[in-house]
Amino acid sequence: MDAFKRKELITGGFMLAAGIAYLLATMSLPRKSFIDAAFVPYVLAIFMCGLGVLQLVFGFRNAPAADSPADDKKGEVSEYGTVIKTLALIAAYIATLEPIGFPIVTAIYLYLQFIVLTPHGQKIGHVTYAITAIISAIVIYLIFRQGFDLMLPSGVLNI
């Protein structure tokens, strides 16, 4: 078994195990109705399990042949950089969520995450990313506030 296939299988196994653990933890949450505070954790747990299964299925398939070892190393470095940048953005998001507020911090986070996830050879669409991030943050805030009747930190907007 080559290293690529082994990494795919290990990743799939960990994702499936994390999904099952998250699902078991979610089952201990009290339920009041179909859509309540436990609804989103159930959905996330099911998606995590599904992604783990898909990762395992694709891991059992044959790995594509690499053009050269140098290309593999360059791809790994950029993937690690993307992961590190994403983790830093998540940490900053969590740290600034309460004082600044959900709508503003979410829009900024999404915009920066879009930039981080843009492939290296592709041009960054700043206007498109900004509009998408702002609209997404507003829609998510309104869904939670009006639809689920759950308060999200409004911060400086005080809405």
Side-chain angles (χ1 to χ4, degrees), residues 46-112:
I46 291 168
F47 277 129
M48 284 176 69
C49 291
L51 288 174
V53 169
L54 285 174
Q55 186 72 33
L56 287 171
V57 167
F58 289 123
F60 282 116
R61 290 185 178 179
N62 289 334
D67 292 338
S68 70
D71 290 342
D72 288 344
K73 295 294 181 195
K74 189 188 309 179
E76 287 180 18
V77 170
S78 68
E79 288 177 13
Y80 290 135
T82 301
V83 170
I84 290 169
K85 290 174 190 173
T86 298
L87 291 175
L89 282 173
I90 291 170
Y93 179 79
I94 292 169
T96 58
L97 185 61
E98 190 69 33
I100 297 175
F102 180 86
I104 295 172
V105 174
T106 301
I108 293 170
Y109 167 77
L110 288 173
Y111 171 74
L112 294 174

